[in-house]
Amino acid sequence: MPKHYDVIVIGLGGMGSTAAYQLATRGQRVLGLEQFGPAHDLGSSHGGSRIIRQAYFEDPAYVPLLLRAYELWEAIEKQSGEEILTVTGGLMMGPPDSLTVTGTMQSATQWNLSYEVLEANDIRKRYPVFTPSANSIAIYEEKAGFVRPELSVYSHLFQAEKHGADLRFFESAQSWEVHPSGEGVRVVTNTGTYEAGKLIISPGAWAPKLLAELGVSFQVERHIQMFFEPTRGIEPFRVGKLPIYIWEADDNVQLYGFPSFGIKAEGAKVAFFRKGQPCTPENIDRTVYEHEVEIMRNYLEQGLPMLNGRFLQGKTCMYTNTPDEHFVITEHPQHPQVVIAAGFSGHGFKFASVVGEILADLVIDGNTNHPIELFSPQRFVYK
Ligand SMILES: Cc1cc2nc3c(=O)[nH]c(=O)nc-3n(C[C@H](O)[C@H](O)[C@H](O)COP(=O)(O)OP(=O)(O)OC[C@H]3O[C@@H](n4cnc5c(N)ncnc54)[C@H](O)[C@@H]3O)c2cc1C
């Protein structure tokens, strides 16, 4: 007799792992399918750290989700005994009229989040590693920090299994269809065929392939996370000394980075936000080139010269962008038994905990109390 599942989850990365966890802890019989191993480094959820912050410059509509995401990060930490979220404080830096500064302030004001404004001199005094231009300011947010993506994926998968989820790795979903009766779904993998009442598709950069019929233009991009050794010792870059930061340079290029916390003990991570190259998961070039490191060095020399030391490592990673860079979280427009989480556009990880809750709500209740109107694919229909 084939085993009967309530829900199949295709893709156990950042989002699929939290969905499997939420569903299993709510008593659903879950089958999780992942084409690679747990917490692998071939998609979008690796590299040791992801920024999390509340005063969201991208859109104030994300703030209530962030507040809930923090609660759920704390809940999984308690359940797993792991430190997944580290609060370090965060600096959103740039010219006063930059999106990084104005957007952060707008979200903070609208949602009554506390923040501090620092002038260029204050920034230099408090954090000597930064050399902001005279016209730069920063919004300091105490609650900002980082989450650890691999640890999140592992912890959620481990807890999901503990609550009865059947998780299969190195098994790739080749196709899915709704059952001919109109009820339930059928998924064909490289090794078998499975049926369930509901289906979640959380495919990361494989969205163009798995969700082609949705009609959303998903653009996959290659990005690089770089680790540098500071020129005058790691001390001023350690957690406790340095907050996470997003720095918008005078040419509006956004660069962000993290304090050092041990994954590369002698180095700290820095990356460009956006500015990626179009790619597919099949053709992405995983080599990091000298000229790419040089581009980063030019910015470090301007704003963070003490980080411009020995280049330690570069690791590629993919964004899956939607045209407006907002997520797609929805019931499938034609098939209510299919729920989709895709197009996280390079800023999704901090939300993974709450996205899992939303996906479980949609599967179990058919709706959610969380505000997800912004993420409907219908917004692209008339554009
Ligand atoms: C360089 C970089 C920096 C980032 N920085 C931040 C940040 O600071 N803060 C932040 O909030 N976000 C950040 N992000 C974005 C965030 O990491 C992503 O939005 C998030 O990881 C996306 O999760 P996902 O579950 O959609 O994708 P993934 O974690 O890639 O998961 C998708 C999974 O589906 C699997 N899969 C696909 N197709 C199939 C199939 N047919 N069968 C079985 N399995 C399948 C894949 O193997 C994969 O494991 C960053 C991303 C990158 C690349």
Side-chain angles (χ1 to χ4, degrees):
M1 269 289 281
K3 193 166 169 191
H4 186 81
Y5 297 100
D6 296 316
V7 193
I8 298 174
V9 181
I10 300 180
L12 297 177
M15 308 302 165
S17 60
T18 57
Y21 162 77
Q22 284 282 341
L23 289 163
T25 54
R26 292 196 218 171
Q28 299 282 299
R29 288 163 301 176
V30 177
L31 170 66
L33 298 170
E34 169 56 52
Q35 63 184 343
F36 301 124
H40 62 85
D41 62 358
L42 300 169
S44 306
S45 300
H46 58 279
S49 52
R50 292 289 185 265
I51 285 182
I52 182 164
R53 54 201 152 89
Q54 295 186 349
Y56 215 56
F57 64 74
E58 287 85 343
D59 198 309
Y62 287 88
V63 175
L65 296 174
L66 286 161
L67 299 178
R68 180 63 180 153
Y70 270 72
E71 290 176 2
L72 291 168
W73 287 121
E74 279 163 27
I76 185 69
E77 283 187 323
K78 265 207 195 108
Q79 195 154 26
S80 64
E82 300 283 359
E83 181 181 337
I84 299 172
L85 164 65
T86 303
V87 173
T88 60
L91 275 184
M92 313 302 143
M93 255 179 306
D97 60 352
S98 61
L99 172 69
T100 309
V101 168
T102 58
T104 301
M105 219 136 39
Q106 192 194 345
S107 266
T109 311
Q110 186 169 328
W111 290 97
N112 214 8
L113 305 171
S114 58
Y115 66 91
E116 220 181 308
V117 180
L118 303 181
E119 304 292 332
N121 272 339
D122 306 327
I123 303 171
R124 286 171 188 255
K125 241 185 258 156
R126 247 204 238 182
Y127 307 108
V129 305
F130 294 115
T131 51
S133 57
N135 72 330
S136 292
I137 65 169
I139 310 296
Y140 178 77
E141 184 187 17
E142 204 175 13
K143 298 246 169 76
F146 63 88
V147 287
R148 300 169 202 231
E150 293 91 343
L151 199 53
S152 165
V153 173
Y154 272 125
S155 302
H156 284 101
L157 293 178
F158 186 77
Q159 293 297 328
E161 255 182 345
K162 231 170 114 178
H163 288 85
D166 185 355
L167 305 181
R168 310 217 175 164
F169 296 95
F170 303 102
E171 185 162 349
S172 161
Q174 315 280 299
S175 65
W176 62 269
E177 58 179 10
V178 299
H179 197 272
S181 70
E183 295 280 312
V185 295
R186 181 183 287 163
V187 175
V188 178
T189 73
N190 52 325
T191 57
T193 300
Y194 305 96
E195 292 187 351
K198 301 277 175 77
L199 173 65
I200 291 178
I201 307 178
S202 44
W206 287 262
K209 204 159 132 190
L210 255 85
L211 297 171
E213 87 297 339
L214 200 61
V216 176
S217 160
F218 294 109
Q219 300 291 337
V220 177
E221 273 184 357
R222 168 183 176 272
H223 283 262
I224 310 168
Q225 314 172 73
M226 297 185 185
F227 294 82
F228 287 89
E229 184 177 40
T231 53
R232 286 192 255 157
I234 196 77
E235 219 35 58
F237 286 89
R238 283 199 200 282
V239 166
K241 294 272 174 56
L242 189 70
I244 61 97
Y245 53 90
I246 300 180
W247 166 46
E248 187 165 332
D250 292 341
D251 59 4
N252 297 117
V253 168
Q254 284 172 304
L255 185 150
Y256 63 93
F258 301 80
S260 169
F261 62 97
I263 45 165
K264 277 262 157 218
E266 72 279 32
K269 182 171 124 179
V270 63
F272 289 114
F273 189 41
R274 316 235 164 265
K275 274 192 95 177
Q277 295 95 37
C279 71
T280 68
E282 290 76 31
N283 74 9
I284 180 173
D285 187 347
R286 302 268 179 199
T287 308
V288 175
Y289 296 93
E290 189 50 45
H291 72 267
E292 296 178 307
V293 178
E294 282 310 309
I295 295 173
M296 179 59 84
R297 285 198 186 283
N298 287 336
Y299 282 93
L300 293 180
E301 209 42 52
Q302 273 179 54
L304 265 144
M306 278 164 73
L307 192 54
N308 199 4
R310 189 161 60 101
F311 175 64
L312 298 171
Q313 194 191 10
K315 205 133 178 66
T316 56
C317 171
M318 290 177 283
Y319 285 13
T320 308
N321 294 331
T322 65
D324 60 5
E325 292 161 0
H326 295 307
F327 313 154
V328 173
I329 304 178
T330 184
E331 276 182 359
H332 191 290
Q334 279 87 46
H335 311 299
Q337 65 270 58
V338 181
V339 170
I340 291 162
F344 288 92
S345 304
H347 63 119
F349 205 92
K350 61 182 78 61
F351 298 91
S353 59
V354 69
V355 170
E357 181 167 81
I358 293 168
L359 296 175
D361 290 347
L362 292 175
V363 161
I364 297 170
D365 307 327
N367 59 56
T368 179
N369 290 328
H370 289 295
I372 59 166
E373 298 74 24
L374 184 60
F375 309 137
S376 164
Q378 297 303 320
R379 69 189 189 273
F380 300 120
V381 171
Y382 300 107
K383 285 189 181 163

